[in-house]
Amino acid sequence: MQTEARVGVAVEGGVRKLVQPPQQKPQQLGTVSQLLAGGVAGALAKTCTAPLARLTILFQVQGMHSNVATLRKLSIWSEASRIIHEEGFRAFWKGNLVTIAHRLPYSSVNFYAYEHYKKLLKTIPVLQSHTDNVSADLCIQFVGGGLAGITASASTYPLDLVRTRLAAQTNTTYYSGIFNALQTISKEEGIFGLYKGLGTTLLTVGPSIAISFTVYESMRSYWQSNRPNDSAAVVSLACGSLSGIASSTATFPLDLVRRRKQLEGAGGRARVYTMGLFGMFRHIIRTEGLRGLYRGILPEYYKVVPGVGICFMTYDTLKKLLADISA
């Protein structure tokens, strides 16, 4: 057989036949690359939005030790001004070092686990037979995102708790840093003190990440199918921001309760809540009203729009960059 490789034609028995060039498989990111992309994306997003994240935490926990009259006077600008005058401008990033220490492994595990849970779910016979079905894809994204969030939270939880306690400190410094906080909590509250509020966190993070990933991937797919020439970075930023708003709105009351659980007994203070999850919800509604469950939602929105957008945009950009380098 005589083959003309350049023009993709084979001559066999005097008959010319078209020869299809071998299909190149898309580049698959290795484990290290996936972890690196996810970790850097999470750390960068958290650093950029650290001031708003701290304001959110301060608002969420103020109901624990403040009376109703004080709570009504609070606003984002008054609290931001207080931080600047009493603690200095750098205080907006208080606890950011532990945030990065937490976000690097958290985001790495989160994105990595999400990719692998999706692959695993696609091997389930019921879902495998509906690979082109939109409902099946949404189910895979939702369940995969929820499992990824639970996996990442459980594996890095002590750092999340320390970050909350450092960020909640105002004028009085009880914990001087990451290691001091870990040692102090272990000594005063026991080793299980580092996992205080884990159950509520898993209840929050599971659906939050599931909603975030599902909305993000669904919107990005729809956008790219209708406007394929739009910038990938712009698409990621817009879809990521909207997915963050959706997940935060749906799970914010649970997030507020988990923050308060994390601060139970912090700094030697007496416990405020002696009831379970539903008892805490009833107590907050009774003492602070229904709006109390959404205390701090505005700075959360201001944080989520750029934060989640930057995170998804950075992750997608790094994935492409690392795939090109490995190619």
Side-chain angles (χ1 to χ4, degrees):
M1 182 177 72
Q2 180 186 355
T3 306
E4 301 175 16
R6 289 184 182 178
V7 294
V9 175
V11 180
E12 185 177 4
V15 180
R16 296 168 66 85
K17 297 179 180 179
L18 289 176
V19 177
Q20 294 292 335
Q23 295 290 327
Q24 289 188 344
K25 292 183 179 180
Q27 285 292 325
Q28 297 293 326
L29 278 182
T31 301
V32 175
S33 296
Q34 282 186 342
L35 291 172
L36 179 64
V40 172
L44 178 63
K46 282 293 179 181
T47 301
C48 291
T49 58
L52 289 166
R54 187 170 182 228
L55 283 170
T56 299
I57 292 174
L58 289 173
F59 270 89
Q60 285 179 322
V61 303
Q62 274 167 337
M64 294 179 70
H65 305 288
S66 304
N67 57 47
V68 178
T70 305
L71 291 173
R72 284 174 184 161
K73 296 175 184 177
L74 293 174
S75 70
I76 295 174
W77 304 116
S78 65
E79 186 63 17
S81 299
R82 185 201 64 76
I83 291 172
I84 292 171
H85 288 105
E86 294 181 8
E87 304 177 58
F89 188 73
R90 290 177 60 187
F92 280 117
W93 279 267
K94 185 179 283 186
N96 190 55
L97 184 61
V98 70
T99 298
I100 293 173
H102 168 252
R103 273 292 138 171
L104 279 169
Y106 175 87
S107 295
S108 297
V109 173
N110 193 21
F111 280 106
Y112 179 75
Y114 177 62
E115 302 286 355
H116 283 264
Y117 279 131
K118 280 201 305 181
K119 290 178 185 176
L120 182 64
L121 289 167
K122 286 177 181 176
T123 62
I124 297 174
V126 177
L127 296 173
Q128 200 172 22
S129 59
H130 297 85
T131 51
D132 295 328
N133 190 294
V134 175
S135 299
D137 286 342
L138 286 174
C139 178
I140 289 170
Q141 290 161 10
F142 188 84
V143 176
L147 291 173
I150 289 171
T151 303
S153 291
S155 59
T156 61
Y157 188 76
L159 287 171
D160 183 37
L161 181 134
V162 168
R163 173 219 171 197
T164 300
R165 295 203 176 183
L166 288 175
Q169 291 185 143
T170 51
N171 296 323
T172 305
T173 301
Y174 193 80
Y175 307 109
S176 59
I178 301 173
F179 296 109
N180 175 259
L182 290 169
Q183 290 173 351
T184 305
I185 294 167
S186 300
K187 183 179 178 181
E188 295 181 354
E189 304 170 49
I191 194 68
F192 290 108
L194 293 172
Y195 292 88
K196 193 173 284 183
L198 175 61
T200 310
T201 297
L202 297 183
L203 281 175
T204 306
V205 170
S208 176
I209 300 295
I211 293 168
S212 185
F213 273 120
T214 305
V215 173
Y216 173 73
E217 293 218 9
S218 302
M219 290 194 65
R220 188 180 64 167
S221 236
Y222 178 78
W223 190 322
Q224 288 177 336
S225 64
N226 285 277
R227 300 176 64 92
N229 297 323
D230 286 352
S231 167
V234 172
V235 174
S236 294
L237 188 60
C239 296
S241 299
L242 290 171
S243 72
I245 290 173
S247 64
S248 289
T249 304
T251 61
F252 193 81
L254 271 171
D255 187 60
L256 180 138
V257 168
R258 87 181 181 93
R259 292 294 184 199
R260 295 192 180 186
K261 272 187 169 292
Q262 287 178 331
L263 286 167
E264 282 280 60
R269 285 185 173 184
R271 292 188 61 182
V272 178
Y273 306 106
T274 55
M275 65 289 287
L277 178 64
F278 294 107
M280 284 184 70
F281 274 117
R282 286 195 297 269
H283 182 271
I284 292 169
I285 293 171
R286 187 174 66 251
T287 56
E288 303 172 46
L290 192 61
R291 291 176 60 185
L293 293 174
Y294 286 90
R295 189 173 304 286
I297 191 71
L298 277 181
E300 176 70 10
Y301 280 155
Y302 297 151
K303 176 196 78 173
V304 158
V305 172
V308 178
I310 290 168
C311 189
F312 276 114
M313 183 181 70
T314 305
Y315 180 64
D316 285 340
T317 304
L318 283 176
K319 275 206 308 182
K320 290 175 184 176
L321 180 63
L322 291 169
D324 290 340
I325 291 171
S326 63

